[in-house]
Structures are given as structure tokens and as C-alpha cells.
Amino acid sequence: DVVLTQFPLSLPVPLGQPASISCRSSQSLVNGDGGTYLTWHHQRPGQPPRRLIYDVSHRDSGVPDRFSGSGSDSDFTLRISSVEAEDVGVYYCMQFTHWPHTFGQGTNLEIK
Amino acid sequence: EVQLAESGGDLVQPGGSLRLSCVGSGFTFSVFWMNWVRQVPGKGLEWVANISPDGSMKRCVDSVRGRCSVSRDNAGNSLFLHLNTLRAEDTAIYYCLAWGTSAYWGQGTLVTVSS
């Protein structure tokens, strides 16, 4: 199975400051069709996850533009340009290039 | 408004079986890949199974293979997961997830396997 390793696992950030989460894959996530199927999800406490980013860098509808995704092959990053209170929770990267689809361990973002 | 509503979670004895259901509304259910993802409370996420829009392709992960059956009824906007020979490690919140150019998560249903 593809292992996704996130760093850091805990991320205290002051309000208004930027944040960055890394996700590294044990295999290339480039599919045979040329696509790279890496996504990011956010889970607030007590809530189901919500997808933020698909195909590395495309924001889902309604996702604020302070969120951005980048990367290629097996190295990816989620950035928040200016952290707001509603951004607390756990962020997961997830790949669906390979079966089984897998998630990273999660990064817990808290307000410092 | 898009909604996915899971049901069927329960307290089940080891070795027992369970059928989970998920009903979708507010989107075109029949064009989405549908998935089951589970989460041990307080822990990470694990993909369990998925099924193609027309139901012709379906897969379960190794940890539940042989004990898992996933199906859908597009006329009723419904997704199903049948798990048998349940083990303590199957205890989790089970989420229904619609996947496409948009993605929709349900609220989850709790399955507890314990004697």
C-alpha cells in the first residue's frame, strides 16, 4: 500500500500567520493517464472531513483562496496563507492514484 | 442542499454482521463513485470500499476482503455496505463519501463490535 507521511503532526500557528503541511508518498502518485490524484481534507472536531483540494492544486467549491496546494510526483504541500480561527482541526492528505486509496496520519492545526 | 445520511450503525457481537446504508440527496448520485471510509474515534481515516457509478466495479480493502460487500441502488440514491464476521478492530465511525469533481461526506454512523 502507498504510505503517505505528513509533517508536522502538530502545528500551532498564531492567528493571521501562514501555515504549511507536507505530505510525502512512498510511491509516485502520477497515474498512467498523466494525472496526479492527491487531495487534502480538513476535519474539525466532532465533524466529518471536508475535501479542500483535489488533483494536487484545485480548490473545491467554497474553499477560501487562502488555501493552496502544490507539489508533484511524491512530494506535496498544503499552505494556508493566513490562519483563521475556523481553520483549526486535523488536515489529511489522501491519494487515489493507487488502490487501496490511502490517507496520511493527519496534522493537527491549533491556534497558538 | 447536498446531504448524505448513513444509517445502520449498532453494537454488534464479534462474529456478527451488519448492513450499513447511505442515502444521498441534492446531487446526481448516479454519476458519482461512492465510497465507504471509516475512522476509529480519535484516530485516522481508512478507506474501506468503493463502487463505480454504474455498480460494475467494486472493491474492498484487504483488511475487510472476504467479509465485505458493497452495492448501490441508483434509482433510490442509496449505497450499502455489508460486513460480516465482525471483529473488534472493525469498531469505527463509517462515513459514506461521494467522489467526483465535487466530494461529499456524510455525518457517519458508529459501529461498535464488542461482547
Side-chain angles (χ1 to χ4, degrees):
Chain A
D1 296 1
V2 172
V3 176
L4 298 179
T5 302
Q6 292 183 224
F7 180 84
L9 297 184
S10 179
L11 185 56
V13 183
L15 285 172
Q17 292 301 301
S20 179
I21 301 169
S22 170
C23 175
R24 291 189 172 172
S25 173
S26 60
Q27 299 179 34
S28 171
L29 297 185
V30 179
N31 197 24
D33 63 7
T36 303
Y37 301 121
L38 186 283
T39 64
W40 290 94
H41 302 255
H42 176 216
Q43 186 174 32
R44 295 189 179 102
Q47 295 293 316
R50 171 197 182 194
R51 195 177 75 181
L52 301 174
I53 302 285
Y54 65 96
D55 296 356
V56 180
S57 60
H58 299 271
R59 271 190 305 276
D60 273 278
S61 176
V63 174
D65 61 7
R66 65 179 180 275
F67 290 92
S68 64
S70 65
S72 63
D73 197 61
S74 61
D75 195 356
F76 305 93
T77 302
L78 176 71
R79 290 186 175 88
I80 309 173
S81 60
S82 176
V83 168
E84 298 190 5
E86 65 181 18
D87 299 338
V88 297
V90 181
Y91 290 82
Y92 296 94
C93 58
M94 175 246 143
Q95 66 82 23
F96 64 102
T97 296
H98 303 282
W99 181 260
H101 306 328
T102 49
F103 291 90
Q105 330 91 297
T107 294
N108 185 40
L109 186 149
E110 60 181 31
I111 303 300
K112 188 175 183 181
Chain B
E1 181 191 4
V2 171
Q3 286 193 337
L4 283 171
E6 302 94 337
S7 60
D10 204 351
L11 172 62
V12 185
Q13 291 198 340
S17 63
L18 209 57
R19 187 189 195 223
L20 304 181
S21 302
C22 169
V23 178
S25 60
F27 67 102
T28 308
F29 183 90
S30 61
V31 304
F32 279 74
W33 278 80
M34 294 301 299
N35 309 269
W36 289 100
V37 175
R38 67 185 180 184
Q39 184 175 37
V40 175
K43 302 296 183 182
L45 297 161
E46 180 188 23
W47 214 278
V48 177
N50 69 0
I51 185 168
S52 59
D54 65 357
S56 62
M57 295 173 56
K58 52 186 77 173
R59 294 176 291 194
C60 296
V61 296
D62 283 349
S63 59
V64 297
R65 190 161 296 156
R67 306 187 292 120
C68 163
S69 175
V70 58
S71 60
R72 65 190 296 163
D73 171 15
N74 285 342
N77 289 349
S78 297
L79 172 71
F80 306 100
L81 179 69
H82 187 256
L83 280 177
N84 56 41
T85 320
L86 286 164
R87 307 165 180 167
E89 53 265 36
D90 295 318
T91 294
I93 300 168
Y94 284 72
Y95 293 104
C96 169
L97 168 59
W99 193 268
T101 51
S102 299
Y104 309 118
W105 290 80
Q107 292 296 313
T109 187
L110 178 62
V111 172
T112 304
V113 183
S114 175
S115 54

